[in-house]
């Protein structure tokens, strides 16, 4: 078991499995879009997944424009779950096909808010790609169009995802041993 910051990390999704799945996802995405795609990576958690997925998309023949949006959920885990844009995209989205990339779909509040924001600005379509889907924790009707893996209902770290701003650098997704299952 890898040890990072004195914590044993149980690997749930190894780097090789993620890389393989990214290539499959890129093939699915390339089957749906032709040109003019705008990819919006939802920071911060998606930065590594987005970096790998867009390179796999290149391998599948796509040449998207890439943007970043930083959103934060206030009271995550509470009922309010208010979402706020902390750093907006620069590109106009009117009439464009947009692919939102995020790390985890959990309650769905973050991506529902972000999707509606872009649709209200006139995006022609807004699809969602997530590495992990925690279906058991959904609080909205939102579903992703492209899902890497179904995720057990545990707090995961690595591959961009953090616990208190650490562990994002791990090349795999895992759980910190001793954390509540
Ligand atoms: P939700 O779908 O609005 O509930 O929010 C999902 C967001 O919460 C993800 O984009 C992550 O940033 C964060 N998140 C949810 N579950 C985890 C986890 O297990 N580890 C790290 N971040 C998580
Ligand atoms: Mg996030």
């Amino acid at each position: 078991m890898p040890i990072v910051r004195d914590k044993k990390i149980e690997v749930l999704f190894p780097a090789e499995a993620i890389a393989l799945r990214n290539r499959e996802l890129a093939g699915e995405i390339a089957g749906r879009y032709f040109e003019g795609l705008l990819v919006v990576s939802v920071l911060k958690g998606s930065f590594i997944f987005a970096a790998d997925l867009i390179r796999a998309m290149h391998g599948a023949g796509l040449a998207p424009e890439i943007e970043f949006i930083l959103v934060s959920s206030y009271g995550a885990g509470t009922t309010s779950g208010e979402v706020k844009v902390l750093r907006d995209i620069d590109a106009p989205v009117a009439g464009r096909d947009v692919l939102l990339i995020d790390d985890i779909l959990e309650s769905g509040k973050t991506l529902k808010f972000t999707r509606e924001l872009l649709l209200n600005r006139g995006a022609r379509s807004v699809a969602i790609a997530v590495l992990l889907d925690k279906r058991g924790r959904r609080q909205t009707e939102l579903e992703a169009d492209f899902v890497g893996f179904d995720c057990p209902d545990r707090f995961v770290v690595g591959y961009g995802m953090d616990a208190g701003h650490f562990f994002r650098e791990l090349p795999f997704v895992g759980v910190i041993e001793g954390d509540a299952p």
Side-chain angles (χ1 to χ4, degrees):
M1 241 185 241
I3 296 175
V4 184
R5 295 179 61 80
D6 290 334
K7 306 275 191 190
K8 282 185 184 166
I9 313 284
E10 178 193 341
V11 178
L12 292 187
F13 302 103
E16 301 74 23
I18 296 172
L20 187 66
R21 188 69 187 122
N22 283 344
R23 284 196 290 277
E24 292 173 352
L25 285 178
E28 288 177 35
I29 293 167
R32 175 142 156 194
Y33 298 102
F34 180 55
E35 59 184 20
L37 179 62
L38 172 63
V39 164
V40 176
S41 162
V42 182
L43 296 174
K44 301 174 183 170
S46 79
F47 78 109
I48 292 180
F49 176 47
D52 283 349
L53 186 60
I54 60 175
R55 284 179 288 180
M57 286 164 62
H58 164 77
L62 284 170
E65 187 179 341
I66 317 290
E67 276 277 7
F68 302 90
I69 192 167
L70 174 58
V71 294
S72 102
S73 310
Y74 285 103
T78 71
T79 42
S80 82
E82 188 195 330
V83 185
K84 209 173 153 185
V85 177
L86 298 179
R87 196 273 193 204
D88 209 338
I89 59 171
D90 298 317
V93 295
R96 315 253 341 238
D97 292 312
V98 179
L99 178 67
L100 280 172
I101 299 184
D102 206 354
D103 50 0
I104 301 193
L105 175 55
E106 201 177 83
S107 74
K109 287 176 183 171
T110 309
L111 283 170
K112 184 175 193 288
F113 168 89
T114 311
R115 183 172 185 271
E116 280 169 7
L117 178 78
L118 299 178
L119 286 172
N120 287 337
R121 289 179 187 172
R124 184 166 74 170
S125 68
V126 180
I128 292 171
V130 292
L131 178 70
L132 302 176
D133 190 353
K134 282 190 190 171
R135 294 177 192 279
R137 296 184 65 90
R138 200 80 85 254
Q139 294 175 37
T140 65
E141 75 289 355
L142 196 85
E143 292 301 330
D145 301 81
F146 307 98
V147 175
F149 303 96
D150 284 329
C151 185
D153 188 8
R154 302 183 66 183
F155 193 82
V156 296
V157 296
Y159 201 65
M161 293 172 281
D162 72 307
H165 307 291
F166 288 103
F167 303 105
R168 292 192 197 273
E169 77 284 7
L170 306 182
F172 51 83
V173 174
V175 294
I176 300 168
E177 199 183 56
D179 269 15

